[in-house]
Amino acid sequence: MKKRLTISGLALGVTLLGVGFSNTFAADETLRSLAEKNGIYVGAILNSQWFSGGLPGNYEQIHKSQFNVVVAENEMKFDATEPSEGRFSYGNGDKMVKYAQQNGMRVRGHALAWHSQVPGWVNNYRNDKQKLLKVLKNHIQNVVGHWKGKVAEWDVVNEAISNNEPMWRSQSVWYQGIGPDFIDSAFVWTHAVDPDAELCYNDYNLEQGISPKAKAGFLLEQVKRWVKNGIPIHCVGSQTHVEDTTTDKHFIGSPDSLRALAKELAKLNIKLKITELDIGFKSGINVSKSDLERQGKTFREYLDIVLEEPNADTYLIWGVSDKWSWLGGLNRQKGLIYDDNLKPKPAFDSILVRLQTFEPPKDTTVTDTTKQDTSVTDTTKQDSTIAIHQTAGPGSVTTHVAGHTLFIAGVKSAKVEVFDMQGRPVFSGKCETGALELKGVSEGVYMVRIREQSASLVRKIAIK
Ligand code: 9MR
């Protein structure tokens, strides 16, 4: 049973963590431990300053105790990994991968084909389609190959859609030199190198509606086409850089719009991930306590999408502390969940409390995934990380765990697989009597997948 902190206990824990005395609290409930209980990923970038050791020690302490998915702010981008033609540079990326492995975190790779942060030598081939195709393919083969099996998911294509109109971003070197097919090719090449990696299209302003004129509406049409054509795409990353205007109409874009996109993607068996969340205020304005509280509420509303939509699994914030946020460059401020002194803000509390109090739907049933369109099954690849939300539908299968025994009612003969929270298989067996001893599985929280013929059910269990 999940332990609930009282408000005063919560405030104390939050305060302790903020000043770096995290042990008492970190061992108890953190965003990370609660995310794992809820079967989702909660993360923050590793800021560029971390790679050169330029951040205070409690930054890393907070980062590893609060988050279970990580992405490099700049260090896996094209200009960082292939600064000159054919010469690859992996030192910083390797450093992050090692950190993630040591701390049991999932790694996102960002980003393979993007118009920005492309080195000058690539731009020189702007008018040479054949050469550019070779450049992109070679880059993907080397970079994805280098981190194969270590980077769980890639932003294969980033920001390929224009800001203002429903069309491709025409100034991109890849679009200009190759045409929109660069996208299809990038997905196919990435999948060929690492068939187990989840592959995302990532972009911003996707929380502004799904009408054909909106960016997300245009994207949806492309996703439908990619899926129809067998392009190996598994997820859409919504960057979700949102501005709180502190005017009457507080926010541009809305959680409801993003949720609508998640639901449309579910019909296509595509996941939605929130990949770069920040909720900034305009630079220069005075940000009041109530502004920060409203900001916290909005952070929570975006989290609700990840908790509630079965095809959403990731809530990743573009930074830890306001002090090292990129937002100044966008004329925004204070968009993250820790303040300049690495103290948790109301937004942190709001997320923590929501993770503590979220009650998943009780209905855990076997779904025939060939007939239901509400469950997300990835048919294009073997999963290295399993879908971590339970599916819901007709029928009635119930499970419970006592000690090391898993009891399953409602199926005659089922294949049972158990995965740790990083998606690594730890047990598999067959259950024919309604009970199965999970031999050799140590104490902890796991995902269990129960399959009966073509139907499958995924749910979270705790071994105590
Ligand atoms: O946070 C990144 C900042 O340090 C870089 O200067 C900037 C350069 O383009 O990129 C920032 O990260 C961006 C991300 O890679 C893609 N989505 C928008 C992010 C914020 O600009």
Side-chain angles (χ1 to χ4, degrees), residues 27-288:
D28 195 355
E29 290 189 321
T30 60
L31 301 186
R32 176 181 179 146
S33 68
L34 292 165
E36 286 167 4
K37 276 188 198 165
N38 282 297
I40 63 169
Y41 296 106
V42 170
I45 58 172
L46 273 175
N47 288 90
S48 284
Q49 296 88 333
W50 176 85
F51 291 85
S52 49
L55 295 177
N58 56 339
Y59 172 97
E60 187 177 306
Q61 180 55 32
I62 287 173
H63 192 278
K64 64 189 177 200
S65 57
Q66 295 295 338
F67 305 114
N68 61 357
V69 56
V70 64
V71 63
E73 180 168 24
N74 289 299
E75 289 64 23
M76 284 192 183
K77 292 175 180 175
F78 204 125
D79 59 353
T81 48
E82 195 180 355
S84 57
E85 188 169 356
R87 297 204 157 192
F88 292 88
S89 168
Y90 299 125
N92 278 329
D94 285 345
K95 185 173 171 183
M96 181 181 78
V97 168
K98 190 169 166 205
Y99 165 80
Q101 286 172 339
Q102 283 170 344
N103 295 295
M105 296 163 130
R106 180 176 172 90
V107 179
R108 293 200 89 237
H110 172 84
L112 297 169
W114 185 25
H115 65 278
S116 181
Q117 291 178 277
V118 170
W121 65 265
V122 173
N123 284 301
N124 292 339
Y125 298 127
R126 190 170 279 268
N127 299 317
D128 186 342
K129 178 170 179 173
Q130 289 314 317
K131 178 69 185 175
L132 266 188
L133 279 166
K134 277 194 192 136
V135 164
L136 185 56
K137 186 174 185 182
N138 187 51
H139 183 78
I140 287 175
Q141 286 181 332
N142 277 279
V143 174
V144 177
H146 178 77
W147 283 305
K148 181 176 175 166
K150 296 176 179 160
V151 169
E153 58 188 71
W154 277 103
D155 285 332
V156 177
V157 176
N158 193 36
E159 301 176 7
I161 303 173
S162 159
N163 280 349
N164 309 314
E165 296 168 73
M167 57 183 276
W168 296 119
R169 181 189 293 273
S170 55
Q171 316 89 317
S172 156
V173 61
W174 308 115
Y175 179 86
Q176 278 187 3
I178 300 173
D181 290 357
F182 85 85
I183 300 174
D184 309 47
S185 305
F187 277 103
V188 170
W189 291 329
T190 309
H191 185 63
V193 180
D194 191 350
D196 288 335
E198 270 194 320
L199 308 186
C200 298
Y201 175 88
N202 193 54
D203 214 326
Y204 57 91
N205 289 359
L206 298 182
E207 63 288 335
Q208 298 184 3
I210 54 168
S211 83
K213 287 198 169 162
K215 209 164 170 178
F218 178 80
L219 173 60
L220 261 177
E221 290 312 305
Q222 311 312 317
V223 177
K224 283 180 194 162
R225 186 171 52 78
W226 291 326
V227 169
K228 189 164 155 251
N229 293 342
I231 299 298
I233 176 172
H234 313 114
C235 36
V236 163
S238 167
Q239 294 184 8
T240 329
H241 296 293
V242 183
E243 179 167 313
D244 181 329
T245 62
T246 64
T247 60
D248 285 346
K249 185 176 176 295
H250 288 306
F251 298 97
I252 300 167
S254 76
D256 285 349
S257 298
L258 192 59
R259 190 186 284 271
L261 175 61
K263 288 187 186 296
E264 289 303 311
L265 290 171
K267 294 178 191 164
L268 301 167
N269 277 355
I270 297 288
K271 285 187 190 173
L272 177 91
K273 294 167 187 277
I274 294 181
T275 52
E276 304 187 13
L277 183 62
D278 45 40
I279 303 174
F281 302 93
K282 280 202 189 317
S283 292
I285 67 159
N286 186 31
V287 176
S288 68

